[in-house]
Amino acid sequence: MQIRDLPYPDPGKPDARSGPSFLYWLGRSQLRGQLKSLSWGLLHQLGVAGLPLGAGLAVQAVVDRSGGRLALAGAVIALFGAAITVGDTMLHRAAVTNWITAASRVQQLLSRKTAELGSALTRRVAAGEVVAVSTGDVEKIGWFVEALSRFLAAVVAVVVVCVGLVLYVPSIGVVVAVGVPVLALAVLPLLPRATRRADVQREKAGRATELAADTVAGLRVLRGIGGEELFLTRYREASQEVRRAAVRSARMWALISAIQVFLPGVLMITVVWYGAILAGDGRISVGELVTVYSAVTLLLFPLRHFEEIAMAYSFSRPSATRAARVLRLERTSHDEERGGLDDARPTGDLYDPATGLLAHAGRLTAVVCGDPDAAGRLAERLGGHATEEEKSPSVLLGQVALDDLPLDAARASVLVQDKDPVLLSGTLTELLDVPASGGVRPRDALDAAQCDDVLAALVQASVDGSGDPLRSRITERGRSLSGGQRQRLALARSLVADPEVLVLDEPTSAVDSHTEARIAEGLRRLRSGRTTVVFASSPLLLDRADTVVFVHEGKVAAVGAHRELLRDDARYLGVVTRSTDDETEPGSDAGRTGDGTGDGTDDVTHVPTPLKTREQLEEIEESA
């Protein structure tokens, strides 16, 4: 696999049982690249290991005054030097390729999992952890995959040098062969403590990242209530905890590095002292002493890879564990029961067995929930985004469970637009260039969503002077537009997609009443013959729905026309009018039914301040 071939056509199915198993799967998945890196690493390391032999031959040739052997030693040194040059160059190329391809594979897996889980992901994994996994953790995992082949090459080089010294100069080679494993294993007792400190540092860093993400997301609200400085103080404290944890972790790794320098120095002094005694007694030649000294000196280079692989594994293991935790998540708890259906898109009524909600095919169904959070969760359930914690049965579309459908088919059949849709940067044409049936033109969708003023604003802000709003650029997340304008553009995008079932969560919460009434008419007209489910509490939308479903405490409590429910169900009246308990008591105006009698129901979902009475709502509906 070459970098130019990325991304992978299929990144594969990862072994996400644990962090180490995920690392093993990742290395095995690019075995060819690992073998290539190992081969070049062996060439480089053996070239380094062979230099002492050439140096020893050269010194001994000078001592013996042999020009022929000196020329031979020069040729040997040149050969090993060429091996070092070629091996090091190609090793770097292969190792970096392994790093980038491994990181790319992990990012692809995370991106696919994010698309599969949708908004349910951040309810099951903290947002800060998702950010950490998709940024820093990917780099650390790639580091270990890249370092593994270089470490294996270093191990082979160390073994070859030790065996060679034992055969070449047995008296000193045995000392080196015994000392090198001690050097390599000396830091092992310190690694668990270093790993724990590194884990604490990353955990605190993840918390700080999550706190920063939450603070930025709620900055407007924090400024409104004067809580900006409070949260900034909390972030400063979290940041200082990260700094202290990083210092403690760095101290342990500094100790490990110091040991890796001190012990080889002791071995070097021992070898030189003992070799000098042997040379003085005439038991070894000067050339052999130089060879042993050079070999021990150059052994320090491959031994550094032992420290590197220890650090790489210590840092990558928790990162791989976090990535595996995300990759283990499944769409729902029903995955093991899937029937393996093909990509055929079902049609028919949309039914949720958990709540009893039924949206008839080809009709506009409005859903009223007293709890906005419950409404958002129910909207996601209707789109097949249910969380793993939910044990309720799957939503059915035409008697087919959404959980049984392949992901692409499920997403194409049911489209959910949440209450805070995101607009990506680019032109309006690019924004509306989404997978679609082709049955709805972008201009018709923009008209239905009442985007005329948005188009005019885009033309005015256009820098190319073309006058074509479709060629005008939208800034990141649509920040140059108002909340209502962003909401209407997102609605137009959903209408262009023209799915079999469209689920909208509060699609007009940020627009005025007159625009809302026109959007309701445009939505009803453009989605004629298509199944549409709208979560709303606005009477302007509710009055234009074919059916209104009132969901109370997780179950369907009433079904009917909007005006009928206003008259007959005090709980529904309390939610739509946002009445207080007193207003829905028997005898109050807001709690009266059409015949002037109260039903005595006081179990009403409400907010403290009433917005509109039933009579005011009816006047608005009639005028609209």
Side-chain angles (χ1 to χ4, degrees):
M1 186 69 181
Q2 300 296 322
I3 295 178
R4 62 175 176 268
D5 298 327
L6 295 175
Y8 289 99
D10 179 13
K13 183 173 180 58
D15 183 355
R17 292 174 297 172
S18 65
S21 62
F22 178 64
L23 288 175
Y24 174 73
W25 173 86
L26 200 58
R28 190 185 62 200
S29 298
Q30 50 188 76
L31 185 59
R32 182 178 178 183
Q34 291 289 348
L35 292 176
K36 182 184 295 185
S37 179
L38 176 61
S39 301
W40 292 118
L42 286 175
L43 179 63
H44 173 243
Q45 295 287 356
L46 293 178
V48 172
L51 282 180
L53 177 61
L57 292 175
V59 171
Q60 192 62 43
V62 172
V63 172
D64 297 339
R65 298 181 179 277
S66 173
R69 281 188 291 165
L70 182 61
L72 177 62
V76 171
I77 292 175
L79 177 63
F80 285 124
I84 293 173
T85 302
V86 175
D88 192 24
T89 302
M90 300 306 297
L91 170 63
H92 179 74
R93 179 185 179 93
V96 170
T97 300
N98 286 338
W99 186 335
I100 294 177
T101 52
S104 176
R105 187 188 297 272
V106 176
Q107 287 178 328
Q108 279 187 257
L109 291 170
L110 292 171
S111 298
R112 293 193 178 197
K113 184 60 64 174
T114 302
E116 176 184 340
L117 296 176
S119 58
L121 174 62
T122 53
R123 293 205 307 269
R124 298 159 69 177
V125 181
E129 185 168 346
V130 175
V131 173
V133 170
S134 58
T135 53
D137 285 342
V138 169
E139 182 178 354
K140 294 180 178 67
I141 293 171
W143 176 28
F144 174 76
V145 173
E146 177 264 344
L148 182 60
S149 57
R150 291 190 288 110
F151 166 72
L152 294 177
V155 170
V156 174
V158 168
V159 172
V160 169
V161 170
C162 290
V163 172
L165 288 178
V166 170
L167 297 176
Y168 184 60
V169 188
S171 53
I172 301 181
V174 173
V175 176
V176 176
V178 173
V180 167
V182 174
L183 297 181
L185 302 177
V187 298
L188 286 183
L190 299 177
L191 288 179
R193 182 178 298 180
T195 301
R196 287 194 298 270
R197 292 190 179 185
D199 290 346
V200 171
Q201 176 195 349
R202 281 185 289 273
E203 181 182 356
K204 291 183 179 297
R207 292 176 181 174
T209 302
E210 183 177 353
L211 180 60
D214 292 342
T215 302
V216 172
L219 192 58
R220 181 178 299 178
V221 177
L222 292 176
R223 286 173 175 170
I225 63 176
E228 181 180 4
E229 188 60 36
L230 173 62
F231 275 80
L232 288 177
T233 301
R234 291 181 181 177
Y235 179 73
R236 291 191 191 100
E237 294 173 354
S239 178
Q240 289 302 311
E241 290 183 4
V242 175
R243 181 188 61 80
R244 288 190 288 270
V247 170
R248 293 184 71 247
S249 178
R251 285 173 179 170
M252 184 56 63
W253 288 111
L255 176 60
I256 292 175
S257 297
I259 293 175
Q260 291 286 73
V261 172
F262 174 74
L263 292 183
V266 172
L267 177 63
M268 178 68 67
I269 293 173
T270 302
V271 168
V272 172
W273 173 75
Y274 183 55
I277 293 177
L278 294 179
D281 294 341
R283 286 189 285 176
I284 63 173
S285 65
V286 175
E288 290 174 334
L289 176 60
V290 171
T291 299
V292 173
Y293 171 76
S294 301
V296 174
T297 302
L298 293 178
L299 267 180
L300 302 182
F301 176 71
L303 283 176
R304 299 298 295 180
H305 290 288
F306 286 74
E307 178 188 358
E308 181 189 13
I309 197 64
M311 292 184 64
Y313 181 74
S314 299
F315 279 93
S316 65
R317 183 186 56 80
S319 296
T321 300
R322 279 196 294 265
R325 185 161 55 243
V326 174
L327 296 175
R328 278 199 304 269
L329 300 176
E330 298 292 343
R331 286 172 58 190
T332 67
S333 59
H334 309 285
D335 287 296
E336 68 277 5
E337 304 171 4
R338 290 183 181 176
L341 299 181
D342 56 23
D343 292 333
R345 301 179 186 178
T347 59
D349 298 340
L350 185 69
Y351 176 65
D352 178 24
T355 60
L357 188 152
L358 175 64
H360 292 286
R363 304 188 69 184
L364 175 60
T365 303
V367 181
V368 177
C369 291
D371 182 359
D373 292 334
R377 291 192 295 269
L378 179 54
E380 291 170 358
R381 267 189 55 78
L382 294 180
H385 294 271
T387 65
E388 193 174 50
E389 290 76 12
E390 295 183 9
K391 302 302 182 182
S392 52
S394 172
V395 172
L396 304 178
L397 177 58
Q399 305 304 315
V400 176
L402 287 181
D403 291 344
D404 289 340
L405 287 174
L407 182 62
D408 293 343
R411 293 291 181 268
S413 298
V414 182
L415 173 63
V416 179
Q417 176 183 305
D418 60 26
K419 64 184 64 179
D420 187 22
V422 175
L423 302 181
L424 302 180
S425 60
T427 64
L428 185 55
T429 299
E430 293 170 341
L431 176 69
L432 300 179
D433 184 17
V434 295
S437 66
V440 177
R441 296 183 305 169
R443 175 58 68 176
D444 295 335
L446 292 168
D447 290 342
Q450 299 299 307
C451 294
D452 290 342
D453 63 318
V454 185
L455 300 181
L458 290 175
V459 170
Q460 187 175 3
S462 176
V463 295
D464 61 3
S466 63
D468 184 1
L470 295 178
R471 295 176 57 185
S472 300
R473 296 195 63 81
I474 299 173
T475 57
E476 180 188 3
R477 300 179 68 90
R479 298 185 188 279
S480 60
L481 304 173
S482 68
Q485 290 174 329
R486 291 195 297 268
Q487 199 172 57
R488 281 176 282 160
L489 283 180
L491 176 59
R493 179 178 58 188
S494 298
L495 293 175
V496 169
D498 192 31
E500 181 66 27
V501 179
L502 177 60
V503 180
L504 304 171
D505 188 6
E506 295 289 353
T508 58
S509 59
V511 302
D512 59 80
S513 299
H514 296 287
T515 304
E516 186 177 36
R518 293 193 295 269
I519 290 176
E521 288 295 341
L523 179 64
R524 183 183 180 90
R525 180 183 67 257
L526 199 62
R527 292 288 299 172
S528 177
R530 291 288 204 181
T531 307
T532 308
V533 181
V534 181
F535 285 79
S537 58
S538 167
L540 297 172
L541 282 173
L542 299 175
D543 195 42
R544 285 158 178 79
D546 296 315
T547 305
V548 178
V549 179
F550 177 47
V551 178
H552 183 64
E553 295 182 351
K555 298 291 182 181
V556 172
V559 179
H562 167 59
R563 300 191 183 218
E564 294 174 356
L565 295 178
L566 278 178
R567 183 183 66 247
D568 300 335
D569 196 307
R571 293 175 301 180
Y572 177 84
L573 175 65
V575 172
V576 174
T577 63
R578 302 183 187 178
S579 305
T580 61
D581 289 339
D582 294 338
E583 291 179 307
T584 55
E585 289 290 334
S588 67
D589 291 340
R592 295 186 187 278
T593 59
D595 58 2
T597 61
D599 63 1
T601 302
D602 60 359
D603 183 16
V604 181
T605 305
H606 61 276
V607 294
T609 305
L611 299 183
K612 296 180 178 66
T613 64
R614 174 168 55 85
E615 290 80 2
Q616 290 172 324
L617 290 172
E618 291 178 350
E619 290 177 1
I620 293 176
E621 294 160 1
E622 292 172 357
S623 63

